[in-house]
Amino acid sequence: MEVGGTKKDMRSWLGDGACDLPLRYNGERPGVYAVAVATDQGEAVIRRTAVTQPE
């Protein structure tokens, strides 16, 4: 899963257990940007376009 923010942001929100989550951080605004699912035909990636612009 690709999420906005940083590993430090996630740790301050969820605690030390956040380090164990298989997340990729893109440094953008908070939110889910992409989800990857393993299938028998390979990895399927669902990616969304940003719905908000930076302030």
Side-chain angles (χ1 to χ4, degrees):
M1 188 179 311
E2 179 183 331
V3 296
T6 65
K7 187 180 279 192
K8 182 179 176 183
D9 295 334
M10 191 65 73
R11 183 182 295 155
S12 70
W13 186 47
L14 295 178
D16 290 334
C19 294
D20 298 331
L21 299 173
L23 300 174
R24 176 182 287 166
Y25 302 93
N26 65 16
E28 299 291 332
R29 295 181 68 139
V32 176
Y33 286 77
V35 176
V37 179
T39 72
D40 58 351
Q41 296 180 354
E43 188 177 77
V45 177
I46 303 164
R47 181 171 294 279
R48 72 167 184 89
T49 38
V51 294
T52 59
Q53 298 297 322
E55 296 176 5

